[in-house]
Amino acid sequence: MTDIVPEQQQPAAVWAERYGNALMNTFGAPQRVLVRGEGAWVWDADGARYLDLLAGIAVNTLGHAHPTLVSAVSAQLGTLGHVSNFFASPTQVHLAERLLEIVEPGGAPAGSRVFFANSGTEAMEAAFKLARRHGEGTRPRILALEGAFHGRTMGALALTHKAAYRDPFAPLPGGVEHLPFGHVDALAAAMGDDVAALVLEPVQGEAGVRPLPPGYLAAARELTSRHGALLVLDEVQSGMGRTGRWMAHHHEHIGGGVVPDVVVLAKGLAGGLPIGALVALGEGPATLLGPGQHGTTFGGNPVAAAAGLATIHVIERDGLLDAVVERGQELREGIAALGHPLVAGVRGEGMLLAVMLTRPVAQQVAQAALAAGYIVNPVAPDAVRLAPPFILSSEQARGLIADLPAILDAGGAE
Ligand SMILES: Cc1ncc(COP(=O)(O)O)c(C=O)c1O
């Protein structure tokens, strides 16, 4: 590696300048230059250490450099790194089988199938195309919710609600309507036999970690079934254990026992390697896309699939779904118990949480947290998102809670 990047040891300021001169400015200036990670910790180019409470935006569920993940990926890369989708690989098949086991509590219904992509937006793009195939042209409408974030490619962007993301790229694929969040009456009024799909996030992550209100998903299932529309759940951020169940819709108070037609996964699926998956539940949805109608060079790549298998294995072996529930509860209760005047409450589920603020100073709070050695994310002007690795220890959670009053004081200072 030192031959390939001979000058790896450079101060952060040098890297930041080189970043600005080499990378397109789509993300703004990077906050730090990170060079190493271990468990829930990361280190920057100047040697400072941070507790990573964002995990690459809900991705690194096993933390950084997890030995099982490292050895699974290394072994796979040393055996068979990539094949085209003209061929199958055992890891790809095995991962699809594992996803079919965990996507619903009792396993996926007969006939269910998986399509692998490389990211959340790509998997949503596949879901969009699948929805277009439903009804053979007789169902031109697709319903989504206000506040929705489904990705940045053109189809996924058409499903995304935020004007600032959409407007510069008009015209987007048509037929998508955004309905008021959590409003069953509005959904009932909009639903019809010309609707191909209703696309929902069980917990809207980018909108500030907003779980769907109890009863909404059950009503959505009833209405979509009545009108023959597909119910597509975007669990890209909320799935793969992030909320303490394999899928957020498995929580009774969110999902109400609902079985969707399509579940979309990415982010935490392979613990940090790029992957996305579209899981079509039942034979009807699973056969909407036929040979030649969709494809990808890298999707289902053996290395990413091996990472997915290793991630699922460690979560099961180490009881990490329970850890997510326990640690999430500890964070939630500990932060609420501070009684800090800037904290309006904590919302979310498991380890997908937002500290709600009484004033729109999330940006300043996140900066104060970084200065104090914590990586968090100002997901909305008044919401600071926490999406830590599942291996976060109780001691690390308590460390944050102890340091939070000073961080909030600094971030909230007028
Ligand atoms: C719910 C949801 N869907 C889709 C995406 C897009 O995923 P990606 O960034 O991997 O393209 C995201 C990313 O934040 C997401 O949160």
Side-chain angles (χ1 to χ4, degrees):
M1 195 60 192
T2 43
D3 291 344
I4 302 169
V5 189
E7 72 296 60
Q8 189 128 22
Q9 302 295 330
Q10 289 198 337
V14 174
W15 283 117
E17 192 188 340
R18 288 175 61 179
Y19 178 101
N21 291 332
L23 282 108
M24 198 178 284
N25 183 21
T26 56
F27 299 103
Q31 297 170 37
R32 294 289 188 274
V33 178
L34 301 179
V35 294
R36 187 166 71 84
E38 192 182 324
W41 298 105
V42 288
W43 284 261
D44 73 13
D46 293 336
R49 188 178 79 155
Y50 305 86
L51 189 64
D52 184 0
L53 299 171
L54 187 58
I57 319 185
V59 169
N60 305 309
T61 56
L62 306 183
H64 299 273
H66 192 285
T68 310
L69 188 58
V70 171
S71 70
V73 165
S74 310
Q76 185 61 49
L77 191 58
T79 308
L80 184 69
H82 175 76
V83 292
S84 75
N85 277 308
F86 298 137
F87 300 91
S89 73
T91 41
Q92 170 196 58
V93 174
H94 195 183
L95 181 60
E97 290 170 351
R98 295 296 282 122
L99 291 181
L100 291 173
E101 283 166 12
I102 65 174
V103 73
E104 286 307 315
S112 301
R113 297 286 186 273
V114 176
F115 176 85
F116 284 119
N118 309 289
S119 65
T121 197
E122 268 187 59
M124 283 308 299
E125 200 72 24
F128 195 111
K129 287 180 74 174
L130 183 143
R132 279 281 200 257
R133 294 295 306 147
H134 181 50
E136 299 285 344
T138 64
R139 294 175 176 271
R141 299 170 63 218
I142 296 180
L143 306 180
L145 292 192
E146 290 174 2
F149 184 85
H150 297 293
R152 308 283 203 143
T153 52
M154 293 302 264
L157 189 56
L159 298 168
T160 291
H161 180 241
K162 199 171 178 174
Y165 296 160
R166 299 167 57 88
D167 291 353
F169 304 100
L172 295 171
V176 179
E177 298 161 38
H178 289 95
L179 308 176
F181 177 84
H183 205 296
V184 175
D185 291 346
L187 177 59
M191 189 54 74
D193 294 346
D194 56 352
V195 173
L198 169 64
V199 181
L200 302 172
E201 294 158 87
V203 181
Q204 282 192 338
E206 300 305 303
V209 189
R210 283 201 295 186
L212 284 172
Y216 187 86
L217 247 175
R221 176 71 286 181
E222 200 278 311
L223 285 161
T224 46
S225 296
R226 196 191 313 162
H227 290 280
L230 299 172
L231 178 61
V232 177
L233 295 188
D234 179 347
E235 293 252 22
V236 164
Q237 185 159 161
S238 58
M240 296 311 298
R242 171 68 38 204
T243 67
R245 300 281 176 87
W246 278 119
M247 304 294 146
H249 74 271
H250 295 177
H251 291 278
E252 182 61 32
H253 61 279
I254 298 176
V258 155
V259 178
D261 299 302
V262 174
V263 177
V264 183
L265 302 168
K267 284 197 183 279
L269 173 49
L273 268 80
I275 193 168
L278 173 76
V279 187
L281 297 173
E283 193 179 344
T287 51
L288 282 168
L289 290 173
Q293 289 185 329
H294 198 44
T296 156
T297 297
F298 289 112
N301 172 281
V303 176
L309 285 170
T311 302
I312 294 171
H313 170 76
V314 173
I315 290 173
E316 286 179 336
R317 183 195 67 193
D318 296 351
L320 292 183
L321 294 182
D322 290 341
V324 167
V325 173
E326 282 164 29
R327 212 63 63 235
Q329 191 77 1
E330 190 172 1
L331 283 168
R332 178 193 283 270
E333 289 175 2
I335 294 168
L338 292 173
H340 194 279
L342 197 55
V343 176
V346 184
R347 76 180 176 201
E349 195 68 48
M351 278 199 176
L352 183 55
L353 298 172
V355 182
M356 303 305 301
L357 305 177
T358 52
R359 288 187 286 123
V361 290
Q363 191 80 44
Q364 294 89 317
V365 169
Q367 273 164 16
L370 196 60
Y374 294 96
I375 296 179
V376 298
N377 164 247
V379 69
D382 62 349
V384 176
R385 173 170 48 183
L386 305 178
F390 300 173
I391 46 95
L392 189 80
S393 70
S394 183
E395 193 187 348
Q396 288 166 332
R398 280 187 270 119
L400 168 75
I401 294 162
D403 287 346
L404 207 49
I407 292 169
L408 291 164
D409 288 347
E414 302 290 344

